[in-house]
Amino acid sequence: GAVVSQHPSRVICKSGTSVKIECRSLDFQATTMFWYRQFPKQSLMLMATSNEGSKATYEQGVEKDKFLINHASLTLSTLTVTSAHPEDSSFYICSASVAGGPDTQYFGPGTRLTVL
Amino acid sequence: GQQVMQIPQYQHVQEGEDFTTYCNSSTTLSNIQWYKQRPGGHPVFLIQLVKSGEVKKQKRLTFQFGEAKKNSSLHITATQTTDVGTYFCAADTGRRALTFGSGTRLQVQP
């Protein structure tokens, strides 16, 4: 089946630093990847849609200058949390669907970010 | 924007009892998907429903899509401890992105 990996799985950083999270589709190509954020005991909230070779589409209320998304290839999207603050601490999950395939989304294992 | 409501928020059952979670949308959906997230894990795709009135079964799990394509349900027969987790419904926004319901957290007492 389609596998999506994320790196790192867990990161702790100081306030004001930037953190990069990678999302890779391991055995398929994904023209579109999605980034979600999940706070404890809450649902997943879509942050942005990452399109290969073009700018990401951000959801309302998500600061594009704070959450930088780059989709450099058909198998890699990165999310950089710039100048992270404690309120950015969350579980960040990416997903991807197979290019030209059905709508089923495959989720990465998530990255737990803790900002001190 | 599209909203997907899910109830109940939480359910605690004895092993062997049945469990149902319901999902309602304010708008007609093209399809609805169901995911399971174990504690500390990530969402895992269970199923997608597309047709009005569709019913699909996976062993002890029964999924239904309403006739008006605005609601859906997941029913688990004779729960087991391995069923523990949070069950989310999710609706396609039309851009392949998903709007998730609030989730139902299931706890099963052995």
Side-chain angles (χ1 to χ4, degrees):
Chain A
V3 178
V4 176
S5 71
Q6 261 183 263
H7 178 79
S9 58
R10 188 181 294 268
V11 58
I12 300 173
C13 68
K14 292 182 179 180
S15 188
T17 59
S18 293
V19 175
K20 181 187 279 190
I21 303 170
E22 291 186 350
C23 177
R24 292 181 186 272
S25 55
L26 297 186
D27 50 0
F28 67 98
Q29 292 185 334
T31 49
T32 306
M33 291 182 172
F34 305 93
W35 288 95
Y36 295 85
R37 180 166 53 183
Q38 185 178 34
F39 291 108
K41 296 187 178 180
Q42 292 190 23
S43 187
L44 284 79
M45 298 298 294
L46 178 67
M47 297 176 66
T49 301
S50 171
N51 303 297
E52 187 267 336
S54 65
K55 291 182 180 181
T57 304
Y58 290 82
E59 295 301 297
Q60 195 171 10
V62 179
E63 299 175 58
K64 61 180 180 180
D65 294 330
K66 180 167 182 64
F67 298 100
L68 301 178
I69 291 172
N70 184 283
H71 196 143
S73 74
L74 287 172
T75 59
L76 172 65
S77 175
T78 60
L79 167 67
T80 301
V81 183
T82 62
S83 187
H85 290 286
E87 57 266 30
D88 298 323
S89 299
S90 188
F91 193 45
Y92 291 87
I93 310 175
C94 71
S95 72
S97 53
V98 179
D103 295 339
T104 305
Q105 290 196 18
Y106 300 94
F107 283 82
T111 296
R112 189 161 302 281
L113 171 63
T114 303
V115 184
L116 302 176
Chain B
Q2 185 173 71
Q3 288 192 332
V4 180
M5 311 299 291
Q6 195 173 346
I7 57 169
Q9 275 192 317
Y10 173 76
Q11 185 137 24
H12 188 147
V13 300
Q14 290 288 126
E15 190 171 22
E17 291 182 338
D18 293 355
F19 160 77
T20 306
T21 172
Y22 301 90
C23 196
N24 290 288
S25 168
S26 54
T27 58
T28 302
L29 303 171
S30 58
N31 65 70
I32 194 155
Q33 301 177 23
W34 285 92
Y35 292 81
K36 176 183 179 181
Q37 184 176 25
R38 292 181 188 275
H42 62 282
V44 174
F45 174 80
L46 294 177
I47 208 159
Q48 177 174 278
L49 304 172
V50 179
K51 298 177 183 176
S52 168
E54 189 170 13
V55 178
K56 285 189 176 180
K57 291 192 176 185
Q58 289 180 350
K59 297 184 181 178
R60 294 177 295 104
L61 277 61
T62 302
F63 304 84
Q64 288 190 309
F65 202 8
E67 293 290 341
K69 299 182 75 172
K70 285 187 174 183
N71 57 73
S72 181
S73 66
L74 157 59
H75 179 83
I76 302 179
T77 305
T79 55
Q80 299 175 358
T81 54
T82 53
D83 295 327
V84 165
T86 301
Y87 293 84
F88 292 98
C89 61
D92 187 341
T93 64
R95 295 176 284 127
R96 285 198 155 197
L98 296 173
T99 297
F100 279 80
S102 50
T104 297
R105 190 157 61 96
L106 172 65
Q107 190 63 253
V108 180
Q109 184 81 32

mmCIF file of all heavy atoms in Angstrom, chain A residues 23 30-35 46-58 68-73 76-79 94-96, chain B residues 95 97:
data_model
loop_
_atom_site.group_PDB
_atom_site.id
_atom_site.type_symbol
_atom_site.label_atom_id
_atom_site.label_comp_id
_atom_site.label_asym_id
_atom_site.label_seq_id
_atom_site.Cartn_x
_atom_site.Cartn_y
_atom_site.Cartn_z
ATOM 1 N N CYS A 23 7.810 15.667 4.632
ATOM 2 C CA CYS A 23 6.765 14.676 4.327
ATOM 3 C C CYS A 23 7.121 14.036 2.991
ATOM 4 O O CYS A 23 7.284 14.744 1.990
ATOM 5 C CB CYS A 23 5.412 15.375 4.255
ATOM 6 S SG CYS A 23 4.034 14.285 3.813
ATOM 7 N N ALA A 30 2.980 12.052 -5.626
ATOM 8 C CA ALA A 30 1.874 12.850 -5.110
ATOM 9 C C ALA A 30 2.010 14.283 -5.613
ATOM 10 O O ALA A 30 2.886 15.014 -5.166
ATOM 11 C CB ALA A 30 1.875 12.826 -3.586
ATOM 12 N N THR A 31 1.154 14.668 -6.534
ATOM 13 C CA THR A 31 1.196 16.047 -7.009
ATOM 14 C C THR A 31 0.663 17.002 -5.947
ATOM 15 O O THR A 31 0.988 18.178 -5.942
ATOM 16 C CB THR A 31 0.353 16.219 -8.285
ATOM 17 O OG1 THR A 31 -0.931 15.636 -8.070
ATOM 18 C CG2 THR A 31 1.019 15.536 -9.460
ATOM 19 N N THR A 32 -0.152 16.470 -5.063
ATOM 20 C CA THR A 32 -0.722 17.292 -4.000
ATOM 21 C C THR A 32 -0.538 16.612 -2.651
ATOM 22 O O THR A 32 -0.811 15.422 -2.516
ATOM 23 C CB THR A 32 -2.224 17.531 -4.237
ATOM 24 O OG1 THR A 32 -2.417 18.077 -5.533
ATOM 25 C CG2 THR A 32 -2.788 18.489 -3.200
ATOM 26 N N MET A 33 -0.067 17.383 -1.714
ATOM 27 C CA MET A 33 0.033 16.908 -0.337
ATOM 28 C C MET A 33 -0.692 17.915 0.556
ATOM 29 O O MET A 33 -0.870 19.080 0.173
ATOM 30 C CB MET A 33 1.484 16.756 0.102
ATOM 31 C CG MET A 33 2.226 15.634 -0.590
ATOM 32 S SD MET A 33 3.924 15.480 0.040
ATOM 33 C CE MET A 33 4.439 13.971 -0.764
ATOM 34 N N PHE A 34 -1.100 17.456 1.697
ATOM 35 C CA PHE A 34 -1.879 18.294 2.600
ATOM 36 C C PHE A 34 -1.206 18.321 3.965
ATOM 37 O O PHE A 34 -0.666 17.317 4.431
ATOM 38 C CB PHE A 34 -3.307 17.761 2.742
ATOM 39 C CG PHE A 34 -4.012 17.590 1.432
ATOM 40 C CD1 PHE A 34 -3.988 16.373 0.775
ATOM 41 C CD2 PHE A 34 -4.684 18.647 0.850
ATOM 42 C CE1 PHE A 34 -4.629 16.211 -0.449
ATOM 43 C CE2 PHE A 34 -5.322 18.497 -0.372
ATOM 44 C CZ PHE A 34 -5.286 17.277 -1.019
ATOM 45 N N TRP A 35 -1.274 19.473 4.603
ATOM 46 C CA TRP A 35 -0.749 19.611 5.965
ATOM 47 C C TRP A 35 -1.892 19.917 6.920
ATOM 48 O O TRP A 35 -2.688 20.827 6.701
ATOM 49 C CB TRP A 35 0.302 20.729 6.015
ATOM 50 C CG TRP A 35 1.580 20.343 5.349
ATOM 51 C CD1 TRP A 35 1.969 20.602 4.074
ATOM 52 C CD2 TRP A 35 2.651 19.589 5.937
ATOM 53 N NE1 TRP A 35 3.198 20.061 3.828
ATOM 54 C CE2 TRP A 35 3.656 19.440 4.957
ATOM 55 C CE3 TRP A 35 2.866 19.033 7.202
ATOM 56 C CZ2 TRP A 35 4.842 18.763 5.191
ATOM 57 C CZ3 TRP A 35 4.043 18.359 7.440
ATOM 58 C CH2 TRP A 35 5.020 18.234 6.443
ATOM 59 N N LEU A 46 -7.178 21.325 8.606
ATOM 60 C CA LEU A 46 -6.363 21.538 7.419
ATOM 61 C C LEU A 46 -5.681 22.894 7.501
ATOM 62 O O LEU A 46 -6.331 23.914 7.767
ATOM 63 C CB LEU A 46 -7.246 21.469 6.171
ATOM 64 C CG LEU A 46 -6.549 21.716 4.836
ATOM 65 C CD1 LEU A 46 -5.572 20.567 4.534
ATOM 66 C CD2 LEU A 46 -7.567 21.835 3.713
ATOM 67 N N MET A 47 -4.388 22.890 7.288
ATOM 68 C CA MET A 47 -3.628 24.139 7.279
ATOM 69 C C MET A 47 -3.439 24.644 5.854
ATOM 70 O O MET A 47 -3.636 25.820 5.567
ATOM 71 C CB MET A 47 -2.254 23.937 7.907
ATOM 72 C CG MET A 47 -2.269 23.534 9.362
ATOM 73 S SD MET A 47 -0.606 23.210 9.948
ATOM 74 C CE MET A 47 0.119 24.838 9.854
ATOM 75 N N ALA A 48 -3.004 23.734 4.987
ATOM 76 C CA ALA A 48 -2.676 24.163 3.634
ATOM 77 C C ALA A 48 -2.614 22.966 2.705
ATOM 78 O O ALA A 48 -2.412 21.835 3.130
ATOM 79 C CB ALA A 48 -1.342 24.901 3.625
ATOM 80 N N THR A 49 -2.780 23.284 1.438
ATOM 81 C CA THR A 49 -2.633 22.296 0.373
ATOM 82 C C THR A 49 -1.344 22.622 -0.373
ATOM 83 O O THR A 49 -1.148 23.753 -0.838
ATOM 84 C CB THR A 49 -3.826 22.372 -0.586
ATOM 85 O OG1 THR A 49 -5.019 22.137 0.158
ATOM 86 C CG2 THR A 49 -3.700 21.323 -1.678
ATOM 87 N N SER A 50 -0.491 21.620 -0.454
ATOM 88 C CA SER A 50 0.826 21.798 -1.050
ATOM 89 C C SER A 50 0.825 21.243 -2.461
ATOM 90 O O SER A 50 0.544 20.069 -2.677
ATOM 91 C CB SER A 50 1.854 21.038 -0.188
ATOM 92 O OG SER A 50 3.112 20.988 -0.802
ATOM 93 N N ASN A 51 1.113 22.085 -3.428
ATOM 94 C CA ASN A 51 1.082 21.681 -4.825
ATOM 95 C C ASN A 51 2.490 21.650 -5.405
ATOM 96 O O ASN A 51 3.238 22.632 -5.294
ATOM 97 C CB ASN A 51 0.225 22.658 -5.637
ATOM 98 C CG ASN A 51 -1.179 22.778 -5.094
ATOM 99 O OD1 ASN A 51 -1.936 21.821 -5.073
ATOM 100 N ND2 ASN A 51 -1.543 23.960 -4.634
ATOM 101 N N GLU A 52 2.833 20.541 -6.016
ATOM 102 C CA GLU A 52 4.160 20.390 -6.590
ATOM 103 C C GLU A 52 4.399 21.433 -7.665
ATOM 104 O O GLU A 52 3.602 21.591 -8.586
ATOM 105 C CB GLU A 52 4.330 18.975 -7.157
ATOM 106 C CG GLU A 52 5.739 18.648 -7.627
ATOM 107 C CD GLU A 52 5.955 18.931 -9.101
ATOM 108 O OE1 GLU A 52 4.964 18.938 -9.844
ATOM 109 O OE2 GLU A 52 7.118 19.134 -9.500
ATOM 110 N N GLY A 53 5.478 22.178 -7.505
ATOM 111 C CA GLY A 53 5.865 23.160 -8.507
ATOM 112 C C GLY A 53 5.131 24.474 -8.454
ATOM 113 O O GLY A 53 5.345 25.349 -9.304
ATOM 114 N N SER A 54 4.272 24.650 -7.476
ATOM 115 C CA SER A 54 3.573 25.930 -7.370
ATOM 116 C C SER A 54 3.360 26.291 -5.901
ATOM 117 O O SER A 54 3.695 25.524 -5.003
ATOM 118 C CB SER A 54 2.230 25.879 -8.103
ATOM 119 O OG SER A 54 1.363 24.956 -7.492
ATOM 120 N N LYS A 55 2.800 27.469 -5.689
ATOM 121 C CA LYS A 55 2.612 27.940 -4.317
ATOM 122 C C LYS A 55 1.526 27.148 -3.607
ATOM 123 O O LYS A 55 0.556 26.709 -4.219
ATOM 124 C CB LYS A 55 2.231 29.421 -4.319
ATOM 125 C CG LYS A 55 3.340 30.352 -4.761
ATOM 126 C CD LYS A 55 2.897 31.802 -4.677
ATOM 127 C CE LYS A 55 4.017 32.727 -5.109
ATOM 128 N NZ LYS A 55 3.608 34.163 -5.021
ATOM 129 N N ALA A 56 1.719 27.022 -2.311
ATOM 130 C CA ALA A 56 0.714 26.325 -1.507
ATOM 131 C C ALA A 56 -0.540 27.179 -1.353
ATOM 132 O O ALA A 56 -0.497 28.408 -1.433
ATOM 133 C CB ALA A 56 1.299 26.004 -0.132
ATOM 134 N N THR A 57 -1.643 26.504 -1.120
ATOM 135 C CA THR A 57 -2.916 27.176 -0.857
ATOM 136 C C THR A 57 -3.208 27.064 0.629
ATOM 137 O O THR A 57 -3.346 25.956 1.145
ATOM 138 C CB THR A 57 -4.059 26.515 -1.650
ATOM 139 O OG1 THR A 57 -3.727 26.519 -3.032
ATOM 140 C CG2 THR A 57 -5.361 27.280 -1.425
ATOM 141 N N TYR A 58 -3.285 28.194 1.298
ATOM 142 C CA TYR A 58 -3.459 28.201 2.747
ATOM 143 C C TYR A 58 -4.923 28.382 3.123
ATOM 144 O O TYR A 58 -5.676 29.100 2.449
ATOM 145 C CB TYR A 58 -2.631 29.331 3.374
ATOM 146 C CG TYR A 58 -1.149 29.080 3.316
ATOM 147 C CD1 TYR A 58 -0.410 29.366 2.170
ATOM 148 C CD2 TYR A 58 -0.475 28.541 4.412
ATOM 149 C CE1 TYR A 58 0.946 29.116 2.114
ATOM 150 C CE2 TYR A 58 0.880 28.295 4.369
ATOM 151 C CZ TYR A 58 1.591 28.590 3.211
ATOM 152 O OH TYR A 58 2.935 28.341 3.169
ATOM 153 N N LEU A 68 5.828 28.027 6.277
ATOM 154 C CA LEU A 68 6.318 28.003 4.904
ATOM 155 C C LEU A 68 6.245 26.592 4.346
ATOM 156 O O LEU A 68 6.746 25.650 4.958
ATOM 157 C CB LEU A 68 7.766 28.508 4.851
ATOM 158 C CG LEU A 68 8.004 29.929 5.368
ATOM 159 C CD1 LEU A 68 9.490 30.263 5.298
ATOM 160 C CD2 LEU A 68 7.193 30.939 4.591
ATOM 161 N N ILE A 69 5.647 26.476 3.189
ATOM 162 C CA ILE A 69 5.496 25.159 2.566
ATOM 163 C C ILE A 69 6.199 25.153 1.228
ATOM 164 O O ILE A 69 6.018 26.052 0.413
ATOM 165 C CB ILE A 69 4.015 24.794 2.408
ATOM 166 C CG1 ILE A 69 3.396 24.537 3.782
ATOM 167 C CG2 ILE A 69 3.841 23.555 1.520
ATOM 168 C CD1 ILE A 69 1.903 24.351 3.758
ATOM 169 N N ASN A 70 6.999 24.090 1.036
ATOM 170 C CA ASN A 70 7.687 23.906 -0.223
ATOM 171 C C ASN A 70 7.439 22.497 -0.727
ATOM 172 O O ASN A 70 7.612 21.523 0.011
ATOM 173 C CB ASN A 70 9.192 24.140 -0.034
ATOM 174 C CG ASN A 70 9.940 24.062 -1.344
ATOM 175 O OD1 ASN A 70 10.199 22.988 -1.874
ATOM 176 N ND2 ASN A 70 10.285 25.209 -1.882
ATOM 177 N N HIS A 71 7.016 22.382 -1.970
ATOM 178 C CA HIS A 71 6.733 21.062 -2.553
ATOM 179 C C HIS A 71 7.685 20.908 -3.730
ATOM 180 O O HIS A 71 7.316 21.125 -4.876
ATOM 181 C CB HIS A 71 5.267 21.023 -2.991
ATOM 182 C CG HIS A 71 4.752 19.641 -3.233
ATOM 183 N ND1 HIS A 71 3.462 19.270 -2.899
ATOM 184 C CD2 HIS A 71 5.318 18.545 -3.761
ATOM 185 C CE1 HIS A 71 3.266 18.012 -3.219
ATOM 186 N NE2 HIS A 71 4.368 17.548 -3.748
ATOM 187 N N ALA A 72 8.909 20.513 -3.407
ATOM 188 C CA ALA A 72 9.990 20.561 -4.381
ATOM 189 C C ALA A 72 9.928 19.457 -5.436
ATOM 190 O O ALA A 72 10.422 19.617 -6.539
ATOM 191 C CB ALA A 72 11.324 20.488 -3.652
ATOM 192 N N SER A 73 9.326 18.334 -5.071
ATOM 193 C CA SER A 73 9.267 17.218 -6.012
ATOM 194 C C SER A 73 7.958 16.473 -5.818
ATOM 195 O O SER A 73 7.179 16.787 -4.928
ATOM 196 C CB SER A 73 10.440 16.273 -5.782
ATOM 197 O OG SER A 73 10.236 15.506 -4.609
ATOM 198 N N LEU A 76 8.093 14.879 -2.192
ATOM 199 C CA LEU A 76 8.545 15.580 -0.989
ATOM 200 C C LEU A 76 7.872 16.937 -0.828
ATOM 201 O O LEU A 76 7.855 17.757 -1.740
ATOM 202 C CB LEU A 76 10.064 15.784 -1.037
ATOM 203 C CG LEU A 76 10.673 16.669 0.067
ATOM 204 C CD1 LEU A 76 10.484 16.011 1.432
ATOM 205 C CD2 LEU A 76 12.152 16.908 -0.205
ATOM 206 N N SER A 77 7.320 17.141 0.345
ATOM 207 C CA SER A 77 6.823 18.456 0.737
ATOM 208 C C SER A 77 7.398 18.780 2.109
ATOM 209 O O SER A 77 7.539 17.886 2.948
ATOM 210 C CB SER A 77 5.292 18.461 0.813
ATOM 211 O OG SER A 77 4.806 19.714 1.298
ATOM 212 N N THR A 78 7.750 20.037 2.325
ATOM 213 C CA THR A 78 8.275 20.432 3.632
ATOM 214 C C THR A 78 7.440 21.563 4.211
ATOM 215 O O THR A 78 6.946 22.424 3.480
ATOM 216 C CB THR A 78 9.746 20.891 3.545
ATOM 217 O OG1 THR A 78 9.822 22.009 2.664
ATOM 218 C CG2 THR A 78 10.637 19.777 3.048
ATOM 219 N N LEU A 79 7.310 21.513 5.517
ATOM 220 C CA LEU A 79 6.624 22.569 6.262
ATOM 221 C C LEU A 79 7.637 23.141 7.241
ATOM 222 O O LEU A 79 8.210 22.395 8.039
ATOM 223 C CB LEU A 79 5.433 21.996 7.032
ATOM 224 C CG LEU A 79 4.797 22.899 8.101
ATOM 225 C CD1 LEU A 79 4.120 24.095 7.465
ATOM 226 C CD2 LEU A 79 3.791 22.112 8.950
ATOM 227 N N CYS A 94 0.950 15.223 7.756
ATOM 228 C CA CYS A 94 0.788 15.440 6.327
ATOM 229 C C CYS A 94 0.038 14.262 5.731
ATOM 230 O O CYS A 94 -0.022 13.176 6.324
ATOM 231 C CB CYS A 94 2.125 15.629 5.638
ATOM 232 S SG CYS A 94 3.108 14.134 5.524
ATOM 233 N N SER A 95 -0.530 14.475 4.575
ATOM 234 C CA SER A 95 -1.176 13.375 3.852
ATOM 235 C C SER A 95 -0.965 13.596 2.367
ATOM 236 O O SER A 95 -0.638 14.701 1.923
ATOM 237 C CB SER A 95 -2.673 13.301 4.175
ATOM 238 O OG SER A 95 -3.360 14.381 3.576
ATOM 239 N N ALA A 96 -1.150 12.537 1.628
ATOM 240 C CA ALA A 96 -0.981 12.612 0.186
ATOM 241 C C ALA A 96 -1.930 11.630 -0.478
ATOM 242 O O ALA A 96 -2.278 10.601 0.104
ATOM 243 C CB ALA A 96 0.460 12.277 -0.199
ATOM 244 N N ARG B 95 -11.457 19.883 -3.168
ATOM 245 C CA ARG B 95 -10.079 20.121 -3.605
ATOM 246 C C ARG B 95 -9.201 18.961 -3.179
ATOM 247 O O ARG B 95 -7.988 19.096 -3.075
ATOM 248 C CB ARG B 95 -9.566 21.420 -2.968
ATOM 249 C CG ARG B 95 -10.289 22.664 -3.433
ATOM 250 C CD ARG B 95 -9.790 23.884 -2.683
ATOM 251 N NE ARG B 95 -10.326 23.933 -1.329
ATOM 252 C CZ ARG B 95 -9.563 24.060 -0.246
ATOM 253 N NH1 ARG B 95 -8.251 24.097 -0.339
ATOM 254 N NH2 ARG B 95 -10.115 24.122 0.948
ATOM 255 N N ALA B 97 -8.767 18.011 -0.409
ATOM 256 C CA ALA B 97 -8.489 18.162 1.014
ATOM 257 C C ALA B 97 -9.708 17.686 1.786
ATOM 258 O O ALA B 97 -10.807 17.577 1.246
ATOM 259 C CB ALA B 97 -8.195 19.620 1.343
#
